[in-house]
Amino acid sequence: MGFAVARTRDEAHLYLDLHPCACGSAETTWGSGLVSVEGELVNRYAGACEECGTSREYLFGLPERPVMPAGYPTFGGTEPSELLDAGEWLWVADLSAGNVPVDDQAEARRALRVATAAVEEVVKFVPPGADAVPDDAFWSERGQRMRATEPGRFELDRLLVVRDTYQELAAGHA
């Protein structure tokens, strides 16, 4: 059947946060566990929307090799995401970096770590030897909008500068 792979719990939860209920609320207490669907083992996330009570369910494929968490956040291994496209990852980085509090060092560090990791996820879409994210790495409406608005932001050199800057800023909040 082929389910999109959630490489880690952090990636699955980010995906769930970015896909709210039809009522618009993202507030759902998710339960998760392995289930078999047509003979394929998948990770099932299920819960009820806390706003309207609608039952929600998402099924994610399992990675070939488990990704061991290496701090927060751990979105995935070396391969690009199947859940979020390159534009969505940059949107997450922008959102996180744009919400760094000035009065809470721990929360500032957390937000900048998310921004750093999200930019690193964009970089994973750049093929070896290429200098930019290819067109086929944008499949969502949000991702395509990000690409259309500022295509130069998806050049490898710019991405690496942004990633390194967020990383340095996070280290400064230690």
Side-chain angles (χ1 to χ4, degrees):
M1 180 161 221
F3 295 91
V5 171
R7 299 166 297 164
T8 65
R9 179 184 179 279
D10 289 344
E11 182 181 39
H13 278 266
L14 176 62
Y15 179 87
L16 296 169
D17 287 346
L18 295 178
H19 292 84
C21 178
C23 77
S25 175
E27 298 303 317
T28 301
T29 300
W30 296 101
S32 67
L34 296 177
V35 296
S36 178
V37 176
E38 296 181 16
E40 184 176 348
L41 199 57
V42 298
N43 201 352
R44 176 182 180 260
Y45 281 80
C49 173
E50 293 177 15
E51 183 70 26
C52 70
T54 299
S55 292
R56 302 182 66 209
E57 178 185 68
Y58 286 89
L59 301 173
F60 299 115
L62 303 176
E64 286 185 32
R65 290 177 305 281
V67 176
M68 299 311 294
Y72 176 80
T74 300
F75 291 124
T78 58
E79 70 287 340
S81 177
E82 293 180 17
L83 297 181
L84 301 170
D85 69 18
E88 287 177 297
W89 281 112
L90 194 56
W91 182 84
V92 167
D94 289 352
L95 183 67
S96 297
N99 288 309
V100 175
V102 295
D103 58 349
D104 183 339
Q105 293 293 312
E107 186 59 26
R109 186 173 49 256
R110 188 196 72 73
L112 287 164
R113 284 181 178 164
V114 170
T116 301
V119 174
E120 186 61 38
E121 289 301 320
V122 180
V123 171
K124 292 176 186 179
F125 284 96
V126 179
D131 60 358
V133 177
D135 292 339
D136 64 357
F138 303 89
W139 58 81
S140 72
E141 185 179 320
R142 180 183 290 137
Q144 290 171 351
R145 234 183 359 260
M146 289 288 293
R147 169 79 173 211
T149 302
E150 292 185 78
R153 293 186 70 200
F154 294 93
E155 294 172 4
L156 181 58
D157 290 344
R158 278 183 76 176
L159 290 166
L160 295 176
V161 167
V162 171
R163 180 203 61 197
D164 293 349
T165 300
Y166 289 159
Q167 194 168 26
E168 289 169 17
L169 289 168
H173 286 281

